[in-house]
Each structure stands twice: as structure tokens, then as C-alpha cells.
Amino acid sequence: MEAEHIEIAEFIKQFQPFSELPEDSINSIAQQVEITYYRADTDIFRFADEIHDLCMIRSGAVEIYRRNGDLYNRLSAGGLFGQMGLLMNNRIRLPAKALEDTLIYFIPESVFVRLCDEFETFAYFVEMDEQASLQQAVAASDSNSLMVSKVSKLVSRDPVTIACTATIRQAAEKMTAEGVSSLLIVNDKGAAQGQAAGPVMVGMITDWDLRARVVASGFCIDARVDEVMSTDLITIDSDAYAFEAMLLMLRNHLHHLPIVARGRPVGVIAISDIVRYESQSSLYMVGSVFRQHSIEELQLLSEDIASCFVRLVNEDANSHMIGSAISVLGRSFKQRLLELAEEHLGAPPIPYCFVALGSMARDEQLMNTDQDNAIILDDEYDPQLHGGYFEALATFVCDGLAACGFSYCGGGIMATNPQWRKTRQQWQACFADWIANPVPDALLHCSIFFDLEGVWGKTQWAEQLNMFVAQRAAHESRFLASLARNALSRTPPLGFFKNFVMEQDGQHRNSINMKRRGTAPLADLIRVHALAVGSRARNSFERLDDIDKAGILPEGRVSALRDALEFISMVRIRHQALDIEAQRAADNNIEPERLSEFERRNLKDAFQVLSNSQRFLRFRYPQ
């Protein structure tokens, strides 16, 4: 070997897991290493970057970050990073930056895979990494869906079993044929011992057992499988929560856990099952959005939004949680489309801010929604010089959103409409005019544009507009009175005798639109009170908190509004989930006769709260 390769070999064999590898493997690795130098404060990997090498620090120091910017780890000479990216679709999960001038050894992915296959030390290294992932999930348990999911949800198939009299060879053949990494070992003595008829689980054998107890020790593969199986198994009941299973696996260093019901095995879960289950979560899906490389790939991924929505509903998440999760997903699609647009069109000629409007900005987005968006442009904007770029960018993003299931806005409230691409000064003047001159069109626009959030670019510009509105509107009694009157245009569907008033014709005959007659008028009246107290919150529940602190409503009125909003929202949400599970297009139209007596009674009460609150709106903001 060349002197350079000898030096590399001497260095890497000092550190685990390389220190336990044979010398010829160390030498082979050394000859395939590539070396790169990074100056201090230089990004090595950003989130979602492609990765095809295991990284080892030769000298210097590297900081590893979570996606939100929090420091996760600090590594020095001999430290390894990038292994999770290699295992997770070759995309960086944890960004890395050089803390000081640093030399990195890049070990090719092909070498990493071969070492994992050939050496137990590397297989263990990967398993420990999975354990670390689980420990992170435990640390974030307060917001983890595993807290409310039964472990039975993680079982994807019946347990694969083999008799204790079978040979090790037969066990290995069955594991290969079934595509599993473990087998439950059973006998048929249960009935004779006074137990329920059927096979009794007496042990388990896993891939690790075959490697460590059979291959590594030269054990005869024609011996009985019960001679090498693991006994005294730890199990968990199928009614336990997935989080309990995760804790049990961590506490006992388990990679496979049998699930039992009434003492009988009903399945086996592995760490990979927990990871796979979490991949259906909204948090995981957000990460997946940023790994897509085209509108076509995003379109395929968008089909999973409905499954994510149904899962949240089935796990008894409240309406605020569900609305926030779906809104975050929607913003992520916008952000990735804007990244792709800039890659396609080139860097923007001037700074800008792309904003989300309406329910997405309020964190209240559900299914069957259209897109509302706009662009704030730098004051240096020149239509002749820059108009073509931003028209193309808006078209790319809005067409992409439509392809991903966010339908075009029928009212044209989209960045593709030149009317909604304005400079910072123009937007502020526009908002000031709407507040000073609350004509019908202005009030209609206020109900949309006064719920805005920056999602890309100079997002602080959107926050500055929010601040401007909050400061200006609170002191304009004429505007608040007009906005209050406008909020009364959509009334709850209750008749004189508190019976439901339903649609009388069309395809939704004998139904109630829960958005148009429920959540939308609630959001409208809450917005009026929020503007009156100078609240800068956008979410309706958070606005209610500010309204409560201001003390402008009679005692008990805020809590009643909060309960009404939650109940009406959840009726709408559950209806959409049922539509999706029945493979129907999710809509907002419920038929009261399909609700239980309890739901009908409470829905009437919630609509009555809305009706009373609208009457108070007239009193609070007189013309």
C-alpha cells in the first residue's frame, strides 16, 4: 500500500467499529477512502441532501443539528456521522457543519453495506443506531402518536411459527421463504396441560441467533431449533400502547417483541415496524416532502395526506392538532414547490415572500380545500424587469399545488393573479385602504387576507403586515362594525324551534355544510374580536386565548365558543375521515339523520352558541 493509505488504515483502526475488523478489511477500506477539507463554519450536509458515504472525522470537529436548528451532537476526531442518511433513502436527516477547520474521510456506501453484511460489529452498529432513534422518540413522547396507538396496529401479519422439533436448517429456510427476521417456536402441548387448544409459544429464533449461535460458533444446522432458540421471552399484550412496547424494547435491548392476546401469539413486531408506522405520521411525511425531486414525485406523495388525516382522527387527536398537522403538510408542499421553482427558473431577481392565506395560515386546514396564496415583493420591483419571473414562479407553484390535490381557488385568490402580487408598500397601502374604507369587496378580502402567514422567502414581511393590521384595526370602530356585520352573513343552520335547517335541493339535499354554516362563521366572528383586542394570533383557538385575556366577552362566553368550535370541527373532521375510508371524495356535508342522538343534541347546542355569539356581535360593535 501507498504511504497515504497506510496512514489512513492506522488511524481508522483505532476507533470502533473498525477496531474489531481484520487487517485486510481495514487496508481495503483505506484504499477506497476519499478525503475532503472543510473550513470552520462550513456546511458539510444540509437537511435532505443526498448522501452516499459514511463520514469519519480525521481532524477538527463537527456539529450535528436537528432540523429545527437545535444542537444534537458534537463530534471530534474518530467520530462517525451520516449512517442514518445511508439507511433512510440516502437523504440527510441531521445536518452537519464544521465547527473548526476539519478533514473528513468519506467511506463509500458500497463499503459500508458490505461491512454491515459481513461483520457482526457493523450489524450491531446499525442496530444501536436504531436504538438511538427510538430513544429520541421516547424523549419526544408528549407529541408522539405512539402514545395513543395500540400495539396491535403495528402488527402487519400473523406470526410465522415453526415446531420445536424442526431443524435449524428448516427454520432458516422458512425465514427466507416468508421474508421474516424472526420465527416463533411452538409445540402442541397446550391442550394436554388444560390450556386452550392450539400451539404454545416456547421460544423464538432471530437472524441474530442464526449468526451468533449457529454460524459464528459452527453449530450443526441439522440440530433441533429449540437447542439455539431464545427462551424466557418478554411479551406484551395486544391491548397495550405502542409506546409501552417501545419502552419495553429499549429497556431490555430487544429487537423483536411477540404480541399476545389471551396468552396466544398474534404477531411479532420489530424496531423497523415502529419506524415504518411512524413513517405514516405527519411529522415523517413533512420530511418526505423535502426529499421529492419533481412535481410528479410530490403528486404521488400527496396521495398519503388522506391516510395521515384518517390516522390522526382514529388516534383521537383534537381539531387543533389535526388542523395544524394538515396545514404544516400543505405549507411543506408549497415550500418544496418554491424550491423546485427556483431551481427551474434560477435565483429570484429581487427578494420576495410567498404567503399562505385562509385556513392554512390559521392552522385549520382540513381535506377538500382549495389554495389561497399571494406574493409580497421587494419595493424595488419593476414589472418590466421582474414581472415575467414572478408570473412564471407563481404559475409553477399553483399548478404544482393543483396537481397535488390543492385545487385552484375559484375566486382567483392566488399568486397567479397579478392583483395579488404586490410590493411591500402596495400591500400596506391596500390593507390600510380596506380598513379605512370597509366596502363589501374590501370586507370579503379582509376575511381571507387578514389570515396570512409567510411560508417562503422574506417571511418576516408577512409578520410585519400582520402587526400592521393588528395595530391599525383595533382603533377603527367603523371598520370593526362593518366586519362584524359581514360576519353575520353566514348563520347557523337552526330553525325557530331549534330544529336543523338543511339544504333543500341539489346533490347535497337534506344535509348541512359544516364549513359554510359552522366553522367558517365561527372563525369570522372570532377574527372580529381578535382584531378588536389587537391580537396577532392567527389560529382561532389561540385568538380565543387572547380574547379571554382581554376580558371583552361575558363570563363563560369564551369557553362556550371554544367548545362549540371544537365540537363542530370534529363532526366535520370525522365525516371527512369516514368519506376517505369509504373511498369517497371528502366533503363538508353531513346528514344529521346519520348522527347519533347524542351528536345531534350537542351539535344543536354548539350551533346555538354560534347564534348567541352572533347576536352579541351586533351589540358589541354597533353601526
Side-chain angles (χ1 to χ4, degrees), residues 28-89:
S28 175
I29 295 168
Q31 294 178 58
Q32 299 181 70
V33 162
E34 293 188 5
I35 307 172
T36 303
Y37 168 76
Y38 292 89
R39 294 182 63 85
D41 296 323
T42 301
D43 287 328
I44 301 172
F45 288 113
R46 294 185 176 91
F47 179 79
D49 281 351
E50 283 196 40
I51 181 171
H52 296 284
D53 302 272
L54 177 66
C55 305
M56 185 176 197
I57 302 171
R58 175 62 180 86
S59 63
V62 171
E63 289 186 330
I64 310 297
Y65 294 88
R66 292 185 173 89
R67 187 183 168 194
N68 64 4
D70 291 343
L71 181 66
Y72 171 73
N73 201 1
R74 183 172 290 134
L75 304 173
S76 56
L80 296 176
F81 62 97
Q83 59 269 29
M84 277 302 291
L86 293 175
L87 296 168
M88 298 289 285
N89 300 320

Side-chain angles (χ1 to χ4, degrees), residues 500-521:
F500 290 121
V501 176
M502 295 177 284
E503 300 287 338
Q504 296 302 311
D505 49 30
Q507 63 176 353
H508 297 302
R509 187 171 179 266
N510 294 327
S511 69
I512 298 171
N513 188 299
M514 297 297 290
K515 178 181 179 180
R516 187 169 62 247
R517 306 294 296 275
T519 56

Side-chain angles (χ1 to χ4, degrees), residues 196-300:
V200 175
M201 179 174 59
V202 295
M204 176 189 286
I205 189 167
T206 67
D207 281 341
W208 186 90
D209 295 322
L210 293 176
R211 291 198 305 268
R213 298 178 180 177
V214 179
V215 178
S217 61
F219 203 89
C220 176
I221 62 173
D222 290 317
R224 282 174 49 141
V225 70
D226 57 6
E227 296 183 41
V228 294
M229 70 182 182
S230 299
T231 56
D232 298 325
L233 298 181
I234 295 172
T235 64
I236 193 168
D237 192 86
S238 60
D239 282 334
Y241 288 104
F243 182 68
E244 296 176 85
M246 183 169 63
L247 281 177
L248 194 63
M249 296 173 81
L250 281 173
R251 190 178 299 120
N252 296 280
H253 306 289
L254 303 175
H255 296 289
H256 297 82
L257 181 64
I259 313 301
V260 297
R262 300 183 185 87
R264 297 293 177 185
V266 295
V268 177
I269 63 169
I271 289 176
S272 58
D273 293 310
I274 293 179
V275 173
R276 188 179 305 114
Y277 184 74
E278 280 304 283
S279 72
Q280 299 171 6
S281 74
S282 57
L283 291 175
Y284 184 92
M285 192 173 174
V286 166
S288 298
V289 168
F290 292 95
R291 293 195 296 272
Q292 309 310 305
H293 297 92
S294 66
I295 290 177
E296 291 73 23
E297 290 182 7
L298 286 169
Q299 185 177 6
L300 287 173

Side-chain angles (χ1 to χ4, degrees), residues 283-528:
L283 291 175
Y284 184 92
M285 192 173 174
V286 166
S288 298
V289 168
F290 292 95
R291 293 195 296 272
Q292 309 310 305
H293 297 92
S294 66
I295 290 177
E296 291 73 23
E297 290 182 7
L298 286 169
Q299 185 177 6
L300 287 173
L301 183 64
S302 69
E303 296 172 3
D304 294 335
I305 295 178
S307 298
C308 175
F309 176 82
V310 170
R311 175 179 168 176
L312 286 164
V313 176
N314 291 337
E315 288 173 349
D316 294 327
N318 61 37
S319 68
H320 194 173
M321 294 167 61
I322 295 170
S324 295
I326 301 304
S327 297
V328 167
L329 277 172
R331 287 196 291 271
S332 298
F333 274 86
K334 282 184 177 174
Q335 289 162 352
R336 184 57 182 146
L337 284 166
L338 283 154
E339 284 182 331
L340 293 173
E342 290 188 8
E343 290 174 11
H344 177 69
L345 299 170
I350 58 170
Y352 72 100
C353 173
F354 198 95
V355 299
L357 306 167
S359 61
M360 183 182 289
R362 293 196 309 272
D363 274 349
E364 295 170 16
Q365 190 165 51
L366 302 179
M367 306 303 293
N368 186 31
T369 186
D370 58 7
Q371 52 177 292
D372 297 310
N373 47 66
I375 296 178
I376 306 171
L377 297 161
D378 187 83
D379 288 331
E380 298 298 319
Y381 174 72
D382 183 331
Q384 297 298 320
L385 297 176
H386 312 134
Y389 179 92
F390 289 104
E391 180 181 359
L393 180 135
T395 299
F396 185 99
V397 173
C398 292
D399 287 350
L401 287 170
C404 294
F406 302 90
S407 58
Y408 296 113
C409 174
I413 310 295
M414 296 180 293
T416 48
N417 185 339
Q419 183 181 1
W420 308 126
R421 299 196 300 269
K422 300 178 185 289
T423 66
R424 298 174 65 191
Q425 290 182 353
Q426 288 171 338
W427 275 116
Q428 185 163 313
C430 181
F431 279 28
D433 182 61
W434 287 342
I435 294 171
N437 301 289
V439 297
D441 281 349
L443 295 170
L444 177 63
H445 291 145
C446 289
S447 67
I448 300 172
F449 285 90
F450 280 15
D451 301 334
L452 86 162
E453 181 177 25
V455 298
W456 188 258
K458 298 289 186 178
T459 56
Q460 65 270 28
W461 293 353
E463 194 55 41
Q464 289 164 5
L465 272 179
N466 279 319
M467 189 183 305
F468 174 82
V469 170
Q471 293 172 345
R472 182 68 66 91
H475 304 291
E476 294 287 345
S477 57
R478 176 169 168 260
F479 168 73
L480 291 172
S482 298
L483 195 63
R485 185 178 67 248
N486 196 63
L488 302 176
S489 61
R490 293 184 283 198
T491 57
L494 288 180
F496 184 78
F497 296 105
K498 295 186 179 180
N499 57 310
F500 290 121
V501 176
M502 295 177 284
E503 300 287 338
Q504 296 302 311
D505 49 30
Q507 63 176 353
H508 297 302
R509 187 171 179 266
N510 294 327
S511 69
I512 298 171
N513 188 299
M514 297 297 290
K515 178 181 179 180
R516 187 169 62 247
R517 306 294 296 275
T519 56
L522 274 167
D524 287 344
L525 75 86
I526 291 169
R527 183 188 301 107
V528 176

